[in-house]
Amino acid sequence: MMTKLSVNINKIATIRNARGGNNPNVLKVAQDAESFGAQGITVHPRPDERHIRYQDVRDIRPIITTEFNIEGNPIDSFTRLVLEVVPTQVTLVPDSHDQITSNHGWDTIENKAFLTDICKTFKAAGIRTSIFVDADPRMVEGAKICGADRVELYTEPYASGYAKNREAAIAPFVAAAEEARRVGLGLNAGHDLSLENLAYYHQLIPWTDEVSIGHALICDALYLGLQETIKRYLQALK
């Protein structure tokens, strides 16, 4: 099974919003990423719309020809948006409204009742539901109990520990990934994965269904171009 690459285009929207107008064109970048080989597009709209706006999500949906993944904290406005747009996948992330970026996964045991209800809501609409978790087998098992289809492992700790000791850095992720496979959950990964550390991650956890990559990929594209960058990320997943 091939691991899919979903390109997170939030940073493109950040650049656009810095000057107003529509340059760079978020919709065109989404289409270009797909034409260059990406198997999905990810967006993470936040309530303050500091990068991807809710209207962007609505505008992107009809032009996507691969998978569309919407990430975010399932507050009421986010839930309504997802149910309106009906993406391929929704990824539940426990970030607060003022977080710069996501920095932890759900406690699926403590938040069992809430996550169970929201999973039911999205799955009833035919939307594959993934829960963002830390690399902890207990949290993975908890996501299964909540009714999720997949988990997405929060990979920043792996990325930050990679240069010092990649074997130690990957170990908890292998354990969490093996638990996902044991309980029958699909497996995604994301946060600070890059051309430096992606191939080794995939080598150790080749049953990963999808990686969602934004910041590092867009930074690489400034030097390499978007097409060449996506080509290199896809090569790292082979």
Side-chain angles (χ1 to χ4, degrees), residues 14-225:
T14 300
I15 298 171
R16 176 201 61 189
N17 294 354
R19 288 287 297 271
N22 195 36
N23 187 27
N25 187 317
V26 170
L27 303 186
K28 185 176 188 305
V29 172
Q31 291 177 307
D32 288 344
E34 286 190 323
S35 70
F36 296 152
Q39 294 106 346
I41 298 297
T42 291
V43 294
H44 189 145
R46 288 183 164 87
D48 62 6
E49 298 192 323
R50 62 180 181 270
H51 35 62
I52 287 291
R53 301 166 181 157
Y54 277 32
Q55 189 57 47
D56 291 328
V57 178
R58 298 184 180 97
D59 293 341
I60 290 169
R61 182 66 183 101
I63 68 170
I64 292 295
T65 59
T66 57
E67 292 195 357
F68 192 29
N69 173 44
I70 305 178
E71 300 179 341
N73 193 334
I75 60 174
D76 289 346
S77 59
F78 177 88
T79 299
R80 289 194 299 270
L81 177 69
V82 172
L83 292 174
E84 173 191 343
V85 171
V86 189
T88 315
Q89 176 176 270
V90 59
T91 302
L92 311 181
V93 182
D95 54 358
S96 61
H97 72 280
D98 56 351
Q99 274 184 235
I100 295 175
T101 187
S102 306
N103 60 14
H104 66 282
W106 285 97
D107 184 328
T108 56
I109 299 170
E110 181 71 22
N111 296 283
K112 176 184 174 182
F114 172 74
L115 291 171
T116 298
D117 286 346
I118 199 68
C119 283
K120 286 180 180 178
T121 296
F122 288 135
K123 290 176 71 173
I127 303 168
R128 185 173 71 226
T129 304
S130 178
I131 298 179
F132 194 66
V133 296
D134 296 323
D136 180 340
R138 297 177 306 129
M139 296 302 109
V140 173
E141 182 183 29
K144 175 68 174 181
I145 293 170
C146 290
D149 300 299
R150 293 185 181 182
V151 287
E152 179 174 329
L153 299 182
Y154 169 56
T155 49
E156 191 280 333
Y158 162 71
S160 62
Y162 178 86
K164 182 178 180 180
N165 186 334
R166 67 180 189 174
E167 291 82 8
I170 196 68
F173 291 87
V174 173
E178 288 177 342
E179 179 66 9
R181 185 161 59 174
R182 185 188 74 80
V183 300
L185 281 175
L187 182 65
N188 298 340
H191 207 91
D192 286 351
L193 293 174
S194 68
L195 288 177
E196 177 186 9
N197 59 46
L198 179 59
Y200 183 71
Y201 186 94
H202 186 253
Q203 177 188 337
L204 273 289
I205 313 175
W207 62 94
T208 303
D209 291 296
E210 173 186 293
V211 294
S212 175
I213 305 178
H215 184 79
L217 189 149
I218 299 304
C219 290
D220 290 332
L222 295 175
Y223 297 95
L224 303 172

